[in-house]
Amino acid sequence: MRRARGAPSPGDAGRDDDEQRAHRVEAPGIGAMAAAGDIIDSSTYVGDVYQAAPLPRPEEVEPPAWTPPTLPPRTTMFVGRDEALAELDTALADPGGVVVQAVHGLGGVGKSALAAQWAHRHADAHVLTWWITADSTAGVTAGLADLAGTLVPEMTRSTPGAVPLEERAAWARRWLATHTGWLVVLDNVTDPADVADLVNCAPGGRFLVTSRLREGWYELVPELIELDVLSAPEAHELLTRITANGRPAADPAAADPAADPAAADLAGVAELCDELGHLPLAVKQAGAYMRQTHLTPAAYLELLRSDPAMMFDRTGRGADGRRTIARIWRLTLDHLTAATPLAGDLLRVLAWWAPEDIPRGLLTPLDDPARLATALGDLAAYNLITLDADTISLHRLVQAVARTPDPRPVQDEGDPHRRPGDIDRARTRATELLNQARPATPADPAHRPAWQALLPHITALADHTAPDTDTVDTALLLHVTAYFLHEQGTVNRAITYCRRALIGRERLLGDDHPHVLSTRINLAGAYRAAGDLGRAVPLYEQTLADCERVLGDGDQLTLTCRNNLAGAYRAAGDLGRAVPLYERTLAERSRVLGDNHPFTLTCRNNLAGAYRAADDLGRAVPLYERTMADCERVLGDDHPLTLTCRNNLARAYRTAGDLGRAVPLYERTMADCQRVLGDDHPNTLRSCNNLAYAYRTAGDLGRAVPLYERTLADCQRVLGDDHPLTKRVRAHLAFVRQ
């Protein structure tokens, strides 16, 4: 494999006080969290440190000599489908151009199994075979990013985030567009738009698409292969092969119960398969249950008919398959929970999270380890979940059934495993477990991996629940998650969660509760981060008035809100209101907390920044100098607030034209940020940008330009192209080059 050499080296930076984007806040009370605001003029949180990875040009990377196909494992349980396989042979015979075939069918009909079988058979005919679970744009992006990591392992050698996900995915798209002879399976596509651009931009290989959709493909594919349920003989073979642990199946039609006692076990196969609608997923689940419980087909069918599950209430294509799956789901749970009641509780809880990569540790508080392991093992034995050492996955349809209440009373044939009260309790428990597992400090970069693992499940819970069912725990979870998303720069989503948390807290706690006021401050901070000062400023003003009325002038939440409002005024260019408000906040914090409290020092730093913004360097510089000295004395040279003050003092010196003191102080700050925070922390990147600006101001373009170039590459890698700091560095570099 050929790879381009030479990649941008890691960079460093810090930021100026008026370039603040991440903000430290504080709020009292259990569960309270104040919003990010203009408090310390730059974030002080330590971030993850990634190593730069080389990014060769995609067209220069040749396919590896041999890469094992990334396909589901071969299975001995694949039966029949000869006609469908032959259709695929014809449709995908031409090695040139793009041939896309959407394998359509009911949920559980075996589209993925057919695609995997064909891909295994033809793996040797392709230079690379790649499988992507493409049920969302995020899934397509993740699959492409993994492809890039396989072709260029250096992209993920240090950490999955060594090269950002979107950048890896874009690289893989370009690789597919510039190579031929590959096969990519796009499995379970729910919206043709999710894959249209990918398919259209890569004409040199083969795409095999599976989807439940019949419509929407005419612009992408010439025809559809519509996959129906199994034929009766194929369903019989599949069921008997599963119950025989994969051994060749006997012919149930030729079985003679009188001559062979074992033949009695096969006598009911045909009738049972008819009842199951010959749907592969339903047949497989039935076979697994029969093998586990040693039931005959006739006995299984008798149970199925005597106690059918209520049809899962969903219209549209695939409803018959879901109904059959719901039947099997209920019958399986009837027998499973008789011996292991915890299994039903677990399944209802798992139904509220994302279907894949559920950390097993999330369930730890529910019961002792042995009982949990037993219940999970039983669920896996009945094919209701997929289990490995660390994570749990389960089918989306199983989840949908498990979290959909059956309104009928049990005595009126209602599903005992889907009673509304049980499902409500499972939703509440799923929320509590996420709250227990989430890190207590969302702004601490050391906890970012834990947040990233939980975020898909928090998102799924929010998507699957109605706001009017939110509890205090739901509101707390969304409130803290919004803060984390804000810190990560995902501001729009943070606003969505913050609004919902505010609605829930107002409904449950009342308008004047401190938690409600805290969430309003966070929402105002998110508006400000999104540049929407038209909503941020009024919300801060109203919340400050309410904090003063409810909590008093000296309460920490009041002081935080006042400080953040001053920052919003400053961001809006209204220094006439910002400076007095900063001065009042500083005086009150000095009185309540003392001159040496970190919050007081933060306020003093912010006030100095407001003086500098007002061109009052006569007050800004001495106040910065005093604050930095006090930070060094009280907090130490390496405290993040000390680094921030040192950076801001250097900015003030530069503004005053004193480059003799500004440049060395910037250099010291950048070196300290690299050592204390790491090369990729946003404050380090800002510090690097600031030093480059100082070099530029001093006319030293020989040092300014390379530093700008390195900082821009690092900002793009760490923060992305659209981050405000990335845009600022890009603009500075463009100006210098001009």
Side-chain angles (χ1 to χ4, degrees):
M1 183 184 302
R2 290 182 292 137
R3 298 184 174 88
R5 300 182 60 188
S9 59
D12 339 318
R15 73 166 171 191
D16 287 340
D17 47 77
D18 60 341
E19 296 173 343
Q20 178 175 0
R21 287 299 179 269
H23 319 283
R24 169 173 295 181
V25 295
E26 72 279 348
I30 298 174
M33 182 172 298
D38 186 7
I39 298 177
I40 59 176
D41 289 335
S42 64
S43 173
T44 59
Y45 305 120
V46 179
D48 297 317
V49 179
Y50 300 131
Q51 298 299 317
L55 275 177
R57 295 170 61 85
E59 58 269 24
E60 297 176 351
V61 177
E62 297 299 329
W66 169 248
T67 298
T70 59
L71 298 171
R74 282 185 179 273
T75 174
T76 60
M77 300 303 168
F78 187 86
V79 299
R81 303 301 198 189
D82 293 337
E83 182 177 347
L85 289 167
E87 287 185 79
L88 281 174
D89 287 341
T90 301
L92 296 170
D94 188 355
V98 177
V99 180
V100 183
Q101 207 56 48
V103 182
H104 161 78
L106 299 173
V109 81
K111 303 178 299 297
S112 301
L114 175 68
Q117 183 74 3
W118 190 90
H120 274 298
R121 290 186 179 185
H122 297 273
D124 290 341
H126 297 98
V127 297
L128 181 141
T129 300
W130 196 257
W131 184 282
I132 296 177
T133 301
D135 56 356
S136 65
T137 54
V140 175
T141 298
L144 291 171
D146 289 342
L147 172 59
T150 295
L151 293 170
V152 183
E154 291 83 356
M155 289 192 192
T156 56
R157 178 163 293 171
S158 300
T159 168
V163 175
L165 187 76
E166 294 287 349
E167 186 175 344
R168 280 183 279 148
W171 189 98
R173 287 175 184 269
R174 294 193 297 272
W175 189 92
L176 292 173
T178 55
H179 290 80
T180 62
W182 44 260
L183 170 68
V184 171
V185 180
L186 298 171
D187 186 46
N188 198 29
V189 176
T190 58
D191 185 347
D194 291 343
V195 300
D197 289 342
L198 173 62
V199 169
N200 287 329
C201 77
R206 293 183 174 93
F207 285 103
L208 175 54
V209 181
T210 77
S211 177
R212 296 177 60 203
L213 295 174
R214 177 194 292 272
E215 306 299 335
W217 295 103
Y218 63 92
E219 292 184 348
L220 287 178
V221 298
E223 59 180 315
L224 296 176
I225 293 179
E226 183 170 343
L227 192 65
D228 204 347
V229 296
L230 296 170
S231 67
E234 290 170 345
H236 304 165
E237 180 183 1
L238 177 60
L239 182 63
T240 52
R241 185 180 294 183
I242 291 172
T243 56
N245 288 305
R247 293 189 297 272
D251 182 1
D256 181 0
D260 181 8
D265 291 345
L266 302 174
V269 166
E271 192 174 4
L272 174 57
C273 287
D274 289 342
E275 181 71 11
L276 297 175
H278 300 157
L279 189 68
L281 180 58
V283 172
K284 289 179 181 179
Q285 287 182 328
Y289 182 86
M290 291 163 56
R291 185 176 65 192
Q292 179 77 16
T293 59
H294 302 284
L295 286 178
T296 65
Y300 187 95
L301 180 59
E302 181 180 354
L303 291 173
L304 187 62
R305 287 176 171 171
S306 64
D307 193 17
M310 172 182 156
M311 176 181 174
F312 178 55
D313 187 15
R314 182 172 177 179
T315 59
R317 190 172 289 109
D320 288 343
R322 293 192 185 95
R323 180 182 66 242
T324 304
I325 292 172
R327 282 178 164 183
I328 302 305
W329 182 87
R330 174 175 175 176
L331 181 57
T332 301
L333 263 291
D334 282 343
H335 291 270
L336 178 57
T337 56
T340 315
L342 179 60
D345 296 333
L346 291 180
L347 195 60
R348 284 186 289 271
V349 169
L350 292 169
W352 295 101
W353 298 333
E356 298 174 348
D357 296 325
I358 301 172
R360 290 182 65 159
L362 271 177
L363 300 173
T364 299
L366 289 180
D367 215 314
D368 68 77
R371 284 171 49 84
L372 275 176
T374 299
L376 290 173
D378 286 347
L379 287 169
Y382 294 116
N383 288 338
L384 288 170
I385 65 172
T386 300
L387 195 62
D388 63 28
D390 300 314
T391 61
I392 305 165
S393 300
L394 63 164
H395 199 284
R396 287 168 174 78
L397 293 180
V398 173
Q399 286 186 304
V401 174
R403 65 173 177 263
T404 302
D406 185 344
R408 301 171 300 176
V410 174
Q411 59 269 27
D412 294 336
E413 297 188 353
D415 190 337
H417 310 293
R418 296 192 287 129
R419 290 177 290 196
D422 290 341
I423 289 179
D424 287 344
R425 280 187 288 274
R427 181 184 63 245
T428 299
R429 198 71 182 101
T431 306
E432 292 171 348
L433 292 171
L434 289 172
N435 259 325
Q436 292 171 7
R438 65 168 175 78
T441 52
D444 187 347
H447 294 154
R448 185 173 180 272
W451 274 105
Q452 294 289 6
L454 294 177
L455 193 57
H457 308 296
I458 297 172
T459 300
L461 178 72
D463 290 345
H464 294 317
T465 55
D468 60 3
T469 66
D470 287 350
T471 64
V472 171
D473 273 339
T474 311
L476 173 61
L477 180 65
L478 295 177
H479 169 89
V480 182
T481 302
Y483 189 87
F484 169 76
L485 292 170
H486 184 172
E487 288 294 313
Q488 299 302 309
T490 314
V491 179
N492 290 334
R493 199 158 148 213
I495 290 173
T496 299
Y497 284 179
C498 214
R499 283 175 176 167
R500 179 165 167 180
L502 179 59
I503 292 171
R505 284 184 158 181
E506 286 176 338
R507 173 173 57 85
L508 297 166
L509 302 175
D511 291 346
D512 290 340
H513 194 281
H515 291 180
V516 173
L517 299 175
S518 174
T519 302
R520 285 167 59 187
I521 294 173
N522 276 5
L523 180 57
Y527 285 149
R528 177 187 168 184
D532 190 352
L533 294 174
R535 286 193 288 183
V537 171
L539 185 56
Y540 271 138
E541 290 174 334
Q542 180 59 53
T543 306
L544 177 58
D546 291 340
C547 285
E548 290 173 338
R549 174 177 54 83
V550 175
L551 305 174
D553 285 346
D555 186 85
Q556 289 304 314
L557 192 59
T558 303
L559 297 177
T560 293
C561 189
R562 187 174 295 132
N563 179 87
N564 293 353
L565 175 58
Y569 285 152
R570 176 182 165 187
D574 190 351
L575 294 173
R577 289 196 288 181
V579 171
L581 202 56
Y582 272 136
E583 290 174 334
R584 178 182 174 187
T585 305
L586 176 59
E588 290 171 341
R589 278 192 165 163
S590 296
R591 175 179 57 82
V592 174
L593 301 174
D595 289 340
N596 292 327
H597 193 282
F599 293 163
T600 305
L601 297 174
T602 295
C603 280
R604 197 188 302 158
N605 174 76
N606 287 349
L607 177 58
Y611 287 153
R612 188 203 57 76
D615 294 326
D616 189 352
L617 296 177
R619 288 197 289 180
V621 171
L623 189 56
Y624 270 138
E625 291 174 333
R626 175 190 167 194
T627 304
M628 187 183 76
D630 288 344
C631 284
E632 290 174 339
R633 175 177 53 83
V634 174
L635 304 175
D637 288 345
D638 291 343
H639 192 278
L641 182 56
T642 305
L643 299 178
T644 296
C645 290
R646 190 175 295 139
N647 175 81
N648 293 344
L649 176 58
R651 170 69 182 272
Y653 286 153
R654 190 196 73 201
T655 304
D658 189 352
L659 294 176
R661 288 197 288 180
V663 170
L665 198 56
Y666 270 136
E667 290 173 334
R668 177 186 173 189
T669 302
M670 188 185 75
D672 289 343
C673 284
Q674 290 173 323
R675 176 175 51 82
V676 175
L677 304 178
D679 288 343
D680 290 345
H681 191 278
N683 281 4
T684 305
L685 299 175
R686 290 186 178 94
S687 179
C688 190
N689 175 69
N690 295 344
L691 177 58
Y693 191 92
Y695 287 152
R696 164 188 155 189
T697 304
D700 189 353
L701 298 184
R703 288 196 288 180
V705 172
L707 190 54
Y708 270 136
E709 290 174 337
R710 191 177 75 193
T711 304
L712 177 59
D714 290 340
C715 286
Q716 290 172 325
R717 174 175 53 83
V718 176
L719 304 175
D721 285 338
D722 294 330
H723 192 277
L725 179 58
T726 306
K727 293 179 178 179
R728 187 178 305 115
V729 176
R730 186 184 295 116
H732 288 175
L733 179 58
F735 181 84
V736 170
R737 285 174 171 169
Q738 289 173 355

Coordinates of all heavy atoms in Angstrom, one line a residue, residues 536-590:
A536 N -30.2 35.7 23.8 CA -29.3 35.5 25.0 C -29.5 36.7 26.0 O -29.7 36.4 27.2 CB -27.9 35.4 24.6
V537 N -29.4 37.9 25.5 CA -29.4 39.0 26.4 C -30.7 39.2 27.2 O -30.7 39.3 28.5 CB -29.0 40.3 25.7 CG1 -29.3 41.6 26.6 CG2 -27.6 40.3 25.2
P538 N -31.9 39.1 26.5 CA -33.1 39.2 27.3 C -33.3 38.1 28.3 O -33.8 38.3 29.4 CB -34.2 39.2 26.3 CG -33.5 39.7 25.0 CD -32.1 39.1 25.1
L539 N -32.9 36.9 27.9 CA -33.0 35.7 28.8 C -32.1 35.9 30.1 O -32.5 35.6 31.2 CB -32.7 34.4 28.1 CG -33.0 33.1 28.9 CD1 -34.4 33.1 29.5 CD2 -32.7 31.9 28.0
Y540 N -30.9 36.4 29.8 CA -30.0 36.7 31.0 C -30.6 37.7 31.9 O -30.6 37.6 33.1 CB -28.7 37.2 30.5 CG -27.6 36.1 30.2 CD1 -26.8 36.1 29.0 CD2 -27.4 35.0 31.1 CE1 -25.8 35.2 28.8 CE2 -26.5 34.1 30.8 CZ -25.7 34.1 29.7 OH -24.7 33.2 29.5
E541 N -31.2 38.8 31.3 CA -31.7 39.9 32.1 C -32.9 39.4 32.9 O -33.0 39.8 34.1 CB -32.1 41.0 31.1 CG -31.0 41.8 30.5 CD -31.4 42.8 29.4 OE1 -32.5 42.6 28.8 OE2 -30.6 43.7 29.2
Q542 N -33.8 38.7 32.3 CA -34.9 38.2 33.1 C -34.5 37.2 34.2 O -35.0 37.3 35.3 CB -35.9 37.5 32.1 CG -37.2 36.9 32.8 CD -38.0 38.0 33.5 OE1 -38.3 39.0 32.9 NE2 -38.2 37.9 34.8
T543 N -33.6 36.3 33.8 CA -33.1 35.4 34.8 C -32.4 36.1 36.0 O -32.5 35.7 37.1 CB -32.2 34.3 34.2 OG1 -32.9 33.7 33.1 CG2 -31.8 33.2 35.1
L544 N -31.6 37.1 35.7 CA -30.9 37.8 36.7 C -31.9 38.5 37.7 O -31.7 38.4 38.9 CB -30.0 38.9 36.1 CG -29.2 39.8 37.1 CD1 -28.4 38.9 38.1 CD2 -28.4 40.8 36.4
A545 N -32.9 39.1 37.1 CA -34.0 39.7 37.9 C -34.6 38.6 38.8 O -34.9 38.9 40.0 CB -35.0 40.4 37.1
D546 N -34.9 37.5 38.3 CA -35.5 36.4 39.1 C -34.5 35.9 40.2 O -35.0 35.5 41.3 CB -36.0 35.3 38.2 CG -37.1 35.7 37.3 OD1 -37.8 36.6 37.6 OD2 -37.4 35.0 36.3
C547 N -33.3 35.7 39.8 CA -32.3 35.3 40.8 C -32.2 36.3 41.9 O -32.1 35.9 43.1 CB -30.9 35.1 40.1 SG -30.7 33.6 39.1
E548 N -32.1 37.5 41.6 CA -32.1 38.6 42.7 C -33.3 38.5 43.6 O -33.2 38.7 44.8 CB -31.9 39.9 42.0 CG -30.6 40.1 41.4 CD -30.5 41.4 40.6 OE1 -31.5 42.0 40.2 OE2 -29.4 41.9 40.4
R549 N -34.5 38.3 43.0 CA -35.7 38.3 43.7 C -35.8 37.0 44.6 O -36.2 37.1 45.7 CB -36.9 38.4 42.7 CG -38.3 38.2 43.4 CD -39.4 38.3 42.4 NE -39.2 37.4 41.2 CZ -39.6 36.2 41.2 NH1 -40.2 35.6 42.3 NH2 -39.4 35.4 40.1
V550 N -35.5 35.9 44.0 CA -35.7 34.6 44.7 C -34.5 34.3 45.6 O -34.7 33.8 46.8 CB -35.9 33.5 43.7 CG1 -36.0 32.1 44.4 CG2 -37.1 33.7 42.8
L551 N -33.3 34.5 45.2 CA -32.1 34.0 45.9 C -31.3 35.1 46.6 O -30.6 34.8 47.5 CB -31.1 33.3 44.9 CG -31.7 32.2 44.1 CD1 -30.7 31.7 43.1 CD2 -32.1 31.0 45.0
G552 N -31.5 36.3 46.1 CA -30.8 37.5 46.8 C -29.5 37.9 46.0 O -29.0 37.1 45.2
D553 N -29.0 39.1 46.2 CA -27.9 39.6 45.5 C -26.6 38.8 45.7 O -25.8 38.8 44.8 CB -27.6 41.1 45.9 CG -28.7 42.0 45.3 OD1 -29.4 41.6 44.4 OD2 -28.8 43.2 45.7
G554 N -26.4 38.2 46.9 CA -25.1 37.6 47.2 C -25.1 36.1 46.8 O -24.0 35.5 47.0
D555 N -26.1 35.6 46.3 CA -26.1 34.1 46.0 C -25.2 33.9 44.8 O -25.1 34.7 43.9 CB -27.5 33.7 45.7 CG -27.6 32.2 45.4 OD1 -27.7 31.4 46.4 OD2 -27.5 31.7 44.3
Q556 N -24.5 32.7 44.8 CA -23.5 32.4 43.8 C -24.2 32.3 42.4 O -23.6 32.7 41.4 CB -22.8 31.2 44.1 CG -21.8 31.3 45.3 CD -20.8 32.4 45.0 OE1 -20.2 32.5 43.9 NE2 -20.6 33.3 46.0
L557 N -25.4 31.8 42.4 CA -26.1 31.7 41.1 C -26.4 33.1 40.5 O -26.3 33.4 39.3 CB -27.3 30.8 41.2 CG -28.0 30.4 39.9 CD1 -27.1 29.6 39.0 CD2 -29.3 29.6 40.2
T558 N -26.8 34.0 41.4 CA -27.1 35.4 41.0 C -25.8 36.0 40.5 O -25.8 36.7 39.5 CB -27.6 36.2 42.2 OG1 -28.8 35.6 42.8 CG2 -27.9 37.6 41.8
L559 N -24.7 35.8 41.2 CA -23.4 36.4 40.8 C -23.0 35.8 39.4 O -22.5 36.6 38.6 CB -22.3 36.2 41.8 CG -22.6 36.9 43.2 CD1 -21.5 36.5 44.2 CD2 -22.7 38.4 43.0
T560 N -23.2 34.5 39.3 CA -22.8 33.9 38.0 C -23.7 34.5 36.8 O -23.1 34.8 35.8 CB -23.1 32.4 38.1 OG1 -22.1 31.8 39.0 CG2 -22.9 31.7 36.7
C561 N -25.0 34.6 37.1 CA -25.8 35.2 36.0 C -25.4 36.6 35.7 O -25.4 37.1 34.6 CB -27.3 35.1 36.5 SG -28.5 35.5 35.2
R562 N -25.1 37.4 36.7 CA -24.7 38.8 36.5 C -23.4 38.9 35.7 O -23.3 39.7 34.8 CB -24.6 39.5 37.9 CG -24.3 41.0 37.7 CD -24.4 41.7 39.1 NE -25.7 41.6 39.7 CZ -25.9 41.2 41.0 NH1 -24.9 40.8 41.7 NH2 -27.1 41.2 41.4
N563 N -22.5 38.0 36.1 CA -21.2 38.0 35.3 C -21.5 37.6 33.9 O -20.9 38.2 33.0 CB -20.3 37.0 36.0 CG -19.0 36.9 35.2 OD1 -18.0 37.6 35.5 ND2 -18.9 35.9 34.3
N564 N -22.3 36.6 33.6 CA -22.5 36.2 32.3 C -23.3 37.2 31.5 O -23.1 37.4 30.3 CB -23.3 34.8 32.3 CG -22.5 33.7 32.8 OD1 -21.3 33.9 33.1 ND2 -23.1 32.6 33.0
L565 N -24.2 37.9 32.1 CA -24.9 39.0 31.4 C -23.9 40.1 31.0 O -24.0 40.6 29.9 CB -26.0 39.6 32.3 CG -26.7 40.8 31.8 CD1 -27.4 40.5 30.4 CD2 -27.8 41.3 32.8
A566 N -23.0 40.4 31.9 CA -22.0 41.4 31.6 C -21.2 40.9 30.3 O -20.9 41.7 29.4 CB -21.0 41.6 32.7
G567 N -20.9 39.6 30.3 CA -20.2 39.1 29.1 C -21.0 39.2 27.9 O -20.5 39.4 26.8
A568 N -22.3 39.0 28.0 CA -23.2 39.1 26.8 C -23.2 40.6 26.3 O -23.2 40.8 25.1 CB -24.6 38.6 27.1
Y569 N -23.3 41.5 27.3 CA -23.3 42.9 26.9 C -21.9 43.2 26.2 O -21.9 43.9 25.1 CB -23.3 43.8 28.1 CG -24.7 43.9 28.8 CD1 -24.9 44.1 30.1 CD2 -25.9 43.7 28.0 CE1 -26.1 44.3 30.7 CE2 -27.1 43.8 28.6 CZ -27.3 44.1 29.9 OH -28.5 44.2 30.5
R570 N -20.9 42.7 26.7 CA -19.6 42.9 26.1 C -19.5 42.3 24.7 O -19.0 43.0 23.7 CB -18.5 42.4 26.9 CG -17.1 42.5 26.3 CD -16.0 41.8 27.2 NE -14.8 41.6 26.5 CZ -13.8 41.0 27.0 NH1 -13.8 40.4 28.2 NH2 -12.6 40.8 26.3
A571 N -20.1 41.1 24.5 CA -20.1 40.5 23.2 C -20.9 41.3 22.2 O -20.7 41.3 21.0 CB -20.6 39.1 23.3
A572 N -22.0 42.0 22.7 CA -22.8 42.8 21.9 C -22.2 44.2 21.6 O -22.8 45.0 20.9 CB -24.2 42.9 22.5
G573 N -21.0 44.4 22.2 CA -20.4 45.7 22.0 C -20.9 46.8 23.0 O -20.6 48.0 22.8
D574 N -21.7 46.4 23.9 CA -22.3 47.4 24.9 C -21.5 47.5 26.1 O -21.8 47.1 27.2 CB -23.7 47.0 25.2 CG -24.5 48.1 25.9 OD1 -23.9 49.1 26.3 OD2 -25.7 47.9 26.1
L575 N -20.3 48.1 26.0 CA -19.4 48.2 27.1 C -19.9 49.2 28.2 O -19.5 49.1 29.3 CB -18.0 48.7 26.6 CG -17.3 47.7 25.7 CD1 -16.0 48.3 25.1 CD2 -17.0 46.4 26.5
G576 N -20.8 50.1 27.8 CA -21.4 51.0 28.7 C -22.1 50.3 29.8 O -22.2 50.8 31.0
R577 N -22.7 49.2 29.5 CA -23.4 48.4 30.5 C -22.5 47.2 31.0 O -22.7 46.8 32.2 CB -24.7 47.8 30.0 CG -25.8 48.9 29.8 CD -27.2 48.3 29.6 NE -27.3 47.6 28.3 CZ -28.5 47.0 27.9 NH1 -29.5 47.0 28.7 NH2 -28.6 46.5 26.7
A578 N -21.6 46.7 30.2 CA -20.8 45.6 30.6 C -19.8 46.0 31.7 O -19.7 45.3 32.7 CB -20.0 45.1 29.4
V579 N -19.1 47.1 31.6 CA -18.1 47.5 32.6 C -18.7 47.7 34.0 O -18.2 47.1 35.0 CB -17.3 48.7 32.1 CG1 -16.4 49.3 33.2 CG2 -16.5 48.4 30.9
P580 N -19.8 48.5 34.1 CA -20.3 48.7 35.5 C -20.8 47.3 36.1 O -20.7 47.1 37.3 CB -21.5 49.6 35.3 CG -21.2 50.4 34.0 CD -20.5 49.4 33.2
L581 N -21.4 46.5 35.2 CA -21.9 45.2 35.8 C -20.7 44.3 36.2 O -20.8 43.6 37.2 CB -22.7 44.5 34.7 CG -23.8 43.5 35.2 CD1 -24.7 44.1 36.2 CD2 -24.6 42.9 34.0
Y582 N -19.6 44.3 35.5 CA -18.5 43.6 35.9 C -17.9 44.1 37.2 O -17.6 43.4 38.1 CB -17.4 43.6 34.8 CG -17.4 42.6 33.8 CD1 -17.2 42.9 32.4 CD2 -17.6 41.2 34.1 CE1 -17.2 41.9 31.4 CE2 -17.6 40.3 33.1 CZ -17.4 40.6 31.8 OH -17.4 39.6 30.8
E583 N -17.9 45.5 37.3 CA -17.4 46.1 38.5 C -18.3 45.7 39.7 O -17.7 45.4 40.8 CB -17.3 47.6 38.4 CG -16.3 48.1 37.4 CD -16.3 49.6 37.1 OE1 -17.4 50.2 37.2 OE2 -15.3 50.1 36.7
R584 N -19.6 45.7 39.6 CA -20.5 45.4 40.7 C -20.3 43.9 41.1 O -20.2 43.6 42.3 CB -21.9 45.6 40.3 CG -22.9 45.2 41.3 CD -24.3 45.5 40.9 NE -25.3 44.9 41.8 CZ -26.6 44.9 41.7 NH1 -27.1 45.3 40.5 NH2 -27.4 44.4 42.6
T585 N -20.1 43.1 40.1 CA -20.0 41.6 40.4 C -18.7 41.4 41.1 O -18.6 40.6 42.1 CB -20.0 40.8 39.1 OG1 -21.2 41.1 38.3 CG2 -19.9 39.3 39.4
L586 N -17.6 42.1 40.7 CA -16.3 41.9 41.4 C -16.4 42.4 42.8 O -15.9 41.7 43.7 CB -15.2 42.7 40.6 CG -13.8 42.7 41.3 CD1 -13.3 41.3 41.5 CD2 -12.9 43.5 40.5
A587 N -17.1 43.5 43.1 CA -17.2 44.0 44.4 C -18.0 43.0 45.3 O -17.6 42.8 46.4 CB -17.9 45.4 44.4
E588 N -19.0 42.5 44.8 CA -19.8 41.6 45.6 C -19.1 40.2 45.8 O -19.2 39.7 46.9 CB -21.2 41.3 44.9 CG -22.1 42.5 44.9 CD -23.3 42.4 44.0 OE1 -23.2 41.5 43.1 OE2 -24.3 43.1 44.1
R589 N -18.4 39.7 44.8 CA -17.7 38.5 45.1 C -16.5 38.7 46.1 O -16.2 37.9 46.9 CB -17.1 37.9 43.8 CG -18.2 37.2 43.0 CD -17.7 36.4 41.9 NE -18.7 35.4 41.4 CZ -18.6 34.7 40.3 NH1 -17.7 35.0 39.4 NH2 -19.5 33.8 40.0
S590 N -15.9 39.9 46.0 CA -14.8 40.2 46.9 C -15.4 40.2 48.3 O -14.8 39.7 49.3 CB -14.2 41.5 46.6 OG -13.5 41.4 45.4

